[in-house]
Amino acid sequence: MDPKPLANPISTLTYDQMPDMDGNADCTKTHQILSSAHIATEIPVEILCIIMELAMPPTQHFLDSTVIARDNRSSRSCLLQTLRNNVMVCRYWYNVGISFLYRHVVVLQSKHLFALARAVSNNRSLGEIILSLHLQCYVSVSQMATVSMAVDSILAATPNLTKFTLVPIMKRQPFLSHEFLRLVALKQNTPSRITNLHFRINRTLKDTLNLVPTFTYLTAFHIDMIIGENDELPTEHLHLAFLEELHITWHAYRHDMNAFSALAEALSLPSLRRLLLTSQALEDGMVFEPLLRKFGHSLHFVSLIRPYMNDRYRFYDFRRPLPLTPLLSMCPDLRHLATDTSIPIRIPAHAHLTWVDLWAPRRLLDPSEQSAVTLMPHKEKVKLPSLRGVRLLDMSLFSFSGARTPLLIPPDMVGSTESVIWSYSSLDLRHDPGLLYRQEVNEVDDVLAESLEHRL
């Protein structure tokens, strides 16, 4: 089976990969164009677009992974520098290629956020190109005010922006997330433009949720919460009309049940379709039952993951099974379920469940045999009349790509005879039918060589 070569479905620029885009850079100099005409101007625009696409960095399916993003700076820097050089060949190449540089922007360092703010302020046409902005950088206490102002100035100059992801990393002081969110909420342009928000909440759940209604068009919300025994729980009604995805990561405490009951009571989410729950406490289904009882009827995707389970966990086979029977009964329209495995696998009957993703330790995977469904007995599969496939996910990927992996790499991404490979400096990944796993370096080289031979 010959893997198909990867195109770049998402063209993404990460500003911290550009050597001259530091905090003191004159951003207007970044796009000085060679004015002399030469044979390059005779290349058809269709061919030139392909050239620009091929110069783009690796596909960003794992954009949410700080580990992958930050571990691949060197290789991506070279690719982005090549793309930037292409854009500056001549005026014709600039007009075609500039959108490839600015269409999807990723900022992983605050100094590059400030550089971007100056660039779009000095050249409004650049801001009009930006369609999405992903901000995932460390924010110190002294930077909170200036970062929030820089974000607001960028959003004021990007009228075509449709997706803005804010993932501030409050180094060593996660309790400051609430204060930073308060500053962001007070800005003129930011609250109504944020679509994806990921915040760590440390004993400020009630106060933080009180700020969320300001973000009118929020479509995805991930909260990583630590709730103390004496913390105030949310009581005010919170209506998020456009929220499609809610991801809750929490640390197990005895009063979790009260917190989830309060969340279910306070939240109004008419558009919710995806619910991701990540915690060691998932074995106690009563904890998250209030959320499923309220929102389960509209859910199409549910993820239940205990993240600490990995290949080094000796007694993986003896883990308590997750409470799937009440889950599926409360989610009549569920299409895609992602969960970790307990052996033997037992999936309750469900009329509409189409895909099942099972996180499993590497030792249970057998890439050579493509045996993704062998862990699920036939008598279990017949209880799912709409089932199209079962896929195993390598648990060692979780630390890289997290619980959203099944959404980033959907199970129907490859056909029955296809494979896809991603190569990063810190990770080599392969997607076969029914199997998504880390691959050894020599295996990647062999497969890519076979793919190249096939193409020739």
Side-chain angles (χ1 to χ4, degrees):
M1 177 169 49
D2 293 316
K4 59 184 179 183
L6 265 186
N8 287 300
I10 304 177
S11 303
T12 306
L13 169 67
T14 305
Y15 271 85
D16 65 348
Q17 309 297 335
M18 300 190 67
D20 56 350
M21 292 289 282
D22 57 30
N24 300 315
D26 182 353
C27 298
T28 59
K29 294 181 180 179
T30 303
H31 302 291
Q32 292 179 348
I33 309 301
L34 298 175
S35 58
S36 58
H38 45 68
I39 195 171
T41 60
E42 299 177 3
I43 298 177
V45 65
E46 296 83 2
I47 302 299
L48 188 52
C49 285
I50 294 175
I51 293 174
M52 297 297 176
E53 282 282 1
L54 292 175
M56 290 303 299
T59 178
Q60 290 296 294
H61 281 287
F62 293 106
L63 183 60
D64 289 344
S65 170
T66 306
V67 176
I68 292 178
R70 296 183 182 280
D71 282 357
N72 288 271
R73 289 181 179 178
S74 177
S75 59
R76 298 192 74 249
S77 175
C78 296
L79 289 169
L80 283 167
Q81 185 62 45
T82 300
L83 177 61
R84 179 175 168 274
N85 292 339
N86 288 347
V87 170
M88 295 193 298
V89 166
C90 62
R91 175 65 60 180
Y92 172 53
W93 283 48
Y94 173 87
N95 291 336
V96 173
I98 189 63
S99 65
F100 289 87
L101 276 174
Y102 279 91
R103 191 181 307 161
H104 301 284
V105 179
V106 181
V107 178
L108 298 179
Q109 290 187 22
S110 56
K111 65 179 182 180
H112 301 117
L113 176 71
F114 304 140
L116 176 62
R118 290 195 300 271
V120 296
S121 297
N122 295 334
N123 188 344
R124 289 284 173 156
S125 62
L126 295 181
E128 294 174 356
I129 296 173
I130 298 177
L131 302 180
S132 71
L133 173 62
H134 185 102
L135 173 59
Q136 184 173 348
C137 62
Y138 288 104
V139 180
S140 65
V141 177
S142 61
Q143 289 180 321
M144 289 196 299
T146 53
V147 166
S148 62
M149 289 192 302
V151 169
D152 202 58
S153 65
I154 292 171
L155 296 180
T158 52
N160 299 317
L161 186 76
T162 58
K163 182 177 181 181
F164 176 31
T165 302
L166 181 62
V167 190
I169 304 172
M170 316 303 291
K171 193 171 184 180
R172 300 189 188 92
Q173 296 174 307
F175 62 89
L176 290 172
S177 292
H178 171 261
E179 179 62 20
F180 179 68
L181 186 63
R182 187 186 66 80
L183 291 173
V184 170
L186 293 174
K187 298 304 175 185
Q188 179 179 356
N189 301 291
T190 308
S192 62
R193 305 295 298 281
I194 289 180
T195 57
N196 297 56
L197 190 60
H198 181 177
F199 259 81
R200 177 168 295 180
I201 300 174
N202 190 349
R203 307 185 188 283
T204 57
L205 178 61
K206 179 179 178 179
D207 294 336
T208 299
L209 290 182
N210 287 341
L211 295 172
V212 173
T214 310
F215 304 95
T216 315
Y217 295 101
L218 199 63
T219 59
F221 187 28
H222 182 182
I223 52 176
D224 186 349
M225 61 185 189
I226 302 176
I227 302 177
E229 187 172 359
N230 299 320
D231 290 351
E232 289 187 87
L233 297 177
T235 55
E236 297 186 15
H237 180 71
L238 173 57
H239 180 74
L240 297 173
F242 302 101
L243 193 74
E244 299 175 358
E245 178 177 315
L246 176 62
H247 185 181
I248 301 177
T249 302
W250 78 99
H251 301 272
Y253 289 99
R254 289 178 297 176
H255 47 279
D256 287 341
M257 183 69 180
N258 295 333
F260 278 87
S261 296
L263 283 173
E265 184 69 24
L267 294 175
S268 173
L269 310 173
S271 300
L272 188 67
R273 298 295 181 267
R274 302 181 298 276
L275 178 64
L276 298 89
L277 302 174
T278 306
S279 177
Q280 299 178 11
L282 283 175
E283 293 176 0
D284 183 3
M286 295 298 293
V287 171
F288 55 87
E289 182 180 342
L291 284 178
L292 290 175
R293 194 168 296 282
K294 182 171 183 177
F295 302 113
H297 65 281
S298 65
L299 295 177
H300 292 169
F301 174 84
V302 169
S303 169
L304 298 174
I305 306 296
R306 293 168 285 190
Y308 60 88
M309 299 197 323
N310 53 49
D311 286 349
R312 292 172 298 188
Y313 197 94
R314 289 188 59 187
F315 304 107
Y316 189 100
D317 293 352
F318 302 98
R319 298 296 303 172
R320 289 175 55 191
L322 294 176
L324 297 181
T325 300
L327 159 68
L328 296 187
S329 67
M330 288 183 282
C331 305
D333 291 326
L334 189 66
R335 301 296 194 271
H336 189 175
L337 172 66
T339 183
D340 52 44
T341 54
S342 57
I343 308 300
I345 295 172
R346 295 287 185 262
I347 304 292
H350 195 282
H352 302 294
L353 190 61
T354 306
W355 295 102
V356 176
D357 273 319
L358 299 172
W359 289 93
R362 181 57 187 262
R363 60 185 174 80
L364 295 181
L365 309 183
D366 188 357
S368 63
E369 296 183 7
Q370 301 293 308
S371 54
V373 298
T374 56
L375 290 182
M376 181 180 290
H378 177 72
K379 63 180 181 180
E380 297 297 320
K381 289 183 286 182
V382 297
K383 295 188 295 186
L384 306 171
S386 300
L387 187 67
R388 291 180 55 190
V390 181
R391 180 175 61 168
L392 296 183
L393 306 178
D394 187 347
M395 182 58 84
S396 67
L397 289 174
F398 192 89
S399 60
F400 289 91
S401 50
R404 297 197 78 253
T405 301
L407 297 172
L408 300 172
I409 309 292
D412 58 351
M413 186 175 182
V414 297
S416 59
T417 59
E418 298 175 322
S419 292
V420 177
I421 295 173
W422 291 266
S423 292
Y424 299 92
S425 63
S426 58
L427 175 70
D428 290 310
L429 179 68
R430 177 164 174 156
H431 188 195
D432 294 333
L435 195 60
L436 182 64
Y437 62 101
R438 296 182 67 179
Q439 192 170 17
E440 299 297 331
V441 175
N442 58 341
E443 292 176 344
V444 175
D445 293 340
D446 292 341
V447 172
L448 290 178
E450 293 175 5
S451 177
L452 179 59
E453 182 179 352
H454 174 72
R455 294 168 61 188
L456 295 175

